Amino acid sequence: MATVRDATYDVLRTLGLTTVFGNPGSTEEPFLQDFPADFHYVHALHEATAVAMADGYAQAAGVPAHVNLHTAPGTGNGMGNLVTAWHNKTPLIVTAGQQTREMLLLEPRLANRRPTELPQPYVKWAYEPARAQDIPAAMLRAYATAVQPPAGPVFLSLPMDDWAQPADPPPAPRTVATRFAPDPQRLAEFVTVLAGSRNPALVYGPGVDRSASWSAAVALAERLAAPVWSAPATERAVFPEDHPHFRGVLPYAIGPLAEALRGHDTVLVVGAPVFRYYPYVPGGHLPDGARLLHVTDDPDEAARAPVGDSLLSDPGLALDALVERVPPSDRPAPARRDTPPPPEVGTPLSADALFAALAAHWPTDAVLVQESPSNLSALRRQLRITRPASYFTMASGGLGYGLPAAIGVALAERDTGRGRPVVAVVGDGSFHYSVQALWTAARLALPVVVVVPVNQQYAILKAFAELKHTPGVPGLDLPGLDIVAIAAGYGCATEVVETPDQLGAALTAGLGADRPTVVPVPISTDVPSIL
Ligand SMILES: Cc1ncc(C[n+]2csc(CCOP(=O)(O)OP(=O)(O)O)c2C)c(N)n1
């Protein structure tokens, strides 16, 4: 007779969820026993790492991913990156073990006291099945919930005595739509505004990349002869950054963002929140007299925008429809922005010089995963992303995502057969939040190269303290960390690099290696301005 466990693995197979990212505990062992040979368990040493690896994998492979966490403490450990997955809009099916139903009333060791509350509000749905027999169908519902727009994580708490129970007949497989088209009347209103605009600006967000619609984004920009900005603090690159219309990434503060858009009467935002700000710098949300049009597949994002009129739609389907309907403009195309002069190469390197060297040696099809807070502007200035699905970072502001996410991306590159090289740039502070991910990368023989700009400080927090006039904050310096020893301890190749040429050689060797390579690069300790 089929057990709940058999039936659940059958459902997971049907859904293509044969890779499980996790860290096992006693409450998960009854699910993981006799782990099927056609499944792959990706062993993370910590739950934060498991969640971010699954997130990177899901984003790069373009499929949902399954993460299996330990009961309450393990779910707690995974929570920071669950917050990130929520903001990243990554469809993750997170399952966690629960103590035996027989004992739950007395709250034994490792009982998850309020399993459906613990991961809130960073899951779209949290559930503990009322009956063991409901687990397979709950898995189907979890999947359907995770992938429908706006995509995001879901959570199932699964008692450990459920797996051996006899199963009900298998639930009927079913599918759900993951995109929806714009309301035609509302779309027509947007077309009228854009057609009548004197000087429109386009602001694209990560939804453009998630919906694989770079070509429509370019076509609309060219049709409108409009400049294009990336929305602030995006978790994905949204437009070919060598395109003459591209103006760069908008600043993540209210006043400066409006200032960057000065002169435009219409601002069309597609696939981004309005807007993702960080330091509070007061001002108007838009330049005087400008009107904002907002396309998003997320009703909550539309509702919380402080300005603008919204249209709910898959970003790609809306862009296709706009390209079809907006009349071509007779304005001259925007001129290409200036290329920054090559930075001076000093000792130690400046962040700009490091990233200029990285750009000079960048393989055309490489993927960049970024978590280097104070160096983000220098990185985005020097290294331009020109291909879709090639840049990933966290939307949340929570550290500990980039390193494991890069490993998930690299595994997805291997599993999909696409094989693009993966480079992570991770600050020497950020490196330590999920550092044990390096062990998984080494075990999987993934040739990820992790470039660590070493400034021995939390530079962005120093910049923030300066902006906000809060001197004397403790805990902003990072002396005495031996990154080479740590990387070697987890099984990585590793070598300190100090010059652009050494970086090129390390990159080539690392991308051709059969294990991860960690490349610490001492950089200037100058604190860049936060804006
Ligand atoms: C989980 C988490 N804890 C703490 C912070 C606060 N924080 C933001 S940036 C930062 C320092 C990052 O240091 P590093 O990676 O060296 O980059 P740098 O600022 O020096 O460029 C810290 C601690 C955070 N964002 N997320």
Side-chain angles (χ1 to χ4, degrees):
M1 189 179 31
T3 61
V4 165
R5 190 181 154 280
D6 300 329
T8 304
Y9 276 103
D10 283 345
V11 166
L12 291 172
R13 260 183 212 102
T14 316
L15 296 172
L17 294 174
T18 52
T19 300
V20 184
F21 296 85
N23 183 265
S26 44
T27 48
E28 292 68 56
E29 284 183 321
F31 164 61
L32 295 170
Q33 67 171 305
D34 296 327
F35 195 66
D38 58 328
F39 278 63
H40 179 202
Y41 187 79
V42 180
H43 181 182
L45 296 181
H46 185 277
E47 291 83 355
T49 299
V51 173
M53 281 198 292
D55 185 326
Y57 187 91
Q59 290 199 61
V63 296
H66 178 195
V67 196
N68 184 239
L69 302 180
H70 191 38
T71 173
T75 302
N77 278 351
M79 203 58 213
N81 278 328
L82 200 58
V83 171
T84 290
W86 164 267
H87 287 287
N88 281 359
K89 299 189 171 165
T90 303
L92 291 186
I93 291 93
V94 182
T95 56
Q98 167 67 300
Q99 256 288 14
T100 308
R101 285 184 197 266
E102 265 80 1
M103 293 198 291
L104 275 181
L105 179 63
L106 60 83
E107 291 188 13
R109 180 181 169 104
L110 293 182
N112 194 345
R113 292 186 65 218
R114 297 186 192 160
T116 59
E117 286 175 39
L118 183 61
Q120 299 288 4
Y122 293 103
V123 289
K124 293 178 69 182
W125 184 54
Y127 189 63
E128 187 171 276
R131 305 181 309 143
Q133 285 72 17
D134 289 338
I135 292 181
M139 202 64 86
L140 282 177
R141 178 168 168 186
Y143 185 98
T145 306
V147 298
Q148 289 184 98
V154 296
F155 180 81
L156 289 178
S157 166
L158 305 172
M160 59 191 289
D161 51 329
D162 283 4
W163 299 104
Q165 301 296 321
D168 278 357
R174 58 206 167 84
T175 60
V176 293
T178 55
R179 306 199 301 166
F180 59 92
D183 161 28
Q185 196 180 329
R186 189 81 172 160
L187 179 71
E189 289 165 21
F190 272 41
V191 170
T192 305
V193 175
L194 288 169
S197 169
R198 189 174 33 76
N199 188 10
L202 298 174
V203 178
Y204 290 144
V208 172
D209 197 41
R210 277 194 288 267
S211 61
S213 49
W214 277 36
S215 53
V218 170
L220 183 65
E222 292 177 352
R223 211 165 166 81
L224 285 167
V228 174
W229 275 267
S230 163
T234 51
E235 65 274 25
R236 303 190 39 152
V238 299
F239 195 76
E241 296 174 2
D242 55 352
H243 188 284
H245 290 221
F246 190 62
R247 288 286 165 275
V249 183
L250 283 171
Y252 48 16
I254 296 172
L257 187 150
E259 189 51 41
L261 294 174
R262 186 164 300 289
H264 294 285
D265 58 345
T266 311
V267 178
L268 173 68
V269 181
V270 183
V274 174
F275 284 105
R276 183 175 291 142
Y277 301 118
Y278 172 40
Y280 177 57
V281 182
H285 291 282
L286 289 172
D288 285 346
R291 176 167 183 189
L292 188 138
L293 304 177
H294 185 196
V295 175
T296 172
D297 64 2
D298 180 347
D300 185 58
E301 203 163 82
R304 69 175 193 264
V307 288
D309 304 308
S310 70
L311 167 64
L312 282 176
S313 172
D314 173 77
L317 292 178
L319 285 169
D320 287 345
L322 289 170
V323 170
E324 224 171 80
R325 289 169 179 75
V326 169
S329 159
D330 49 13
R331 286 179 292 270
R336 186 182 286 278
R337 66 184 167 144
D338 295 337
T339 312
E344 269 177 45
V345 177
T347 311
L349 294 174
S350 65
D352 275 278
L354 164 61
F355 299 134
L358 191 61
H361 298 284
W362 193 250
T364 38
D365 61 344
V367 182
L368 173 65
V369 184
Q370 179 279 124
E371 191 170 291
S372 181
S374 75
N375 300 313
L376 177 57
S377 302
L379 179 59
R380 303 289 275 127
R381 190 159 54 231
Q382 298 295 340
L383 180 61
R384 295 191 175 173
I385 304 295
T386 58
R387 297 182 177 211
S390 303
Y391 171 76
F392 302 97
T393 185
M394 42 67 181
S396 61
L399 302 179
Y401 172 79
L403 184 58
I407 290 153
V409 171
L411 184 61
E413 289 302 318
R414 177 186 287 172
D415 284 0
T416 57
R418 203 165 38 192
R420 295 181 300 170
V422 178
V423 179
V425 174
V426 180
D428 59 340
S430 302
F431 185 71
H432 297 282
Y433 287 75
S434 303
V435 66
Q436 66 294 112
L438 291 172
W439 179 82
T440 305
R443 302 304 297 171
L444 293 172
L446 290 168
V448 183
V449 173
V450 184
V451 176
V452 184
V454 178
N455 59 11
Q456 298 193 46
Q457 58 187 338
Y458 292 155
I460 194 153
L461 299 186
K462 292 186 177 177
F464 197 90
E466 224 163 86
L467 179 82
K468 288 286 155 196
H469 310 293
T470 54
V473 176
L476 301 185
D477 289 305
L478 296 173
L481 284 165
D482 187 343
I483 292 175
V484 163
I486 292 164
Y490 282 114
C492 301
T494 177
E495 172 193 9
V496 174
V497 149
E498 289 175 338
T499 68
D501 286 348
Q502 288 172 354
L503 180 74
L507 197 62
T508 309
L511 292 175
D514 59 359
R515 57 180 172 151
T517 302
V518 175
V519 183
V521 187
I523 60 161
S524 152
T525 53
D526 293 348
V527 174
S529 147
I530 201 158
L531 290 172

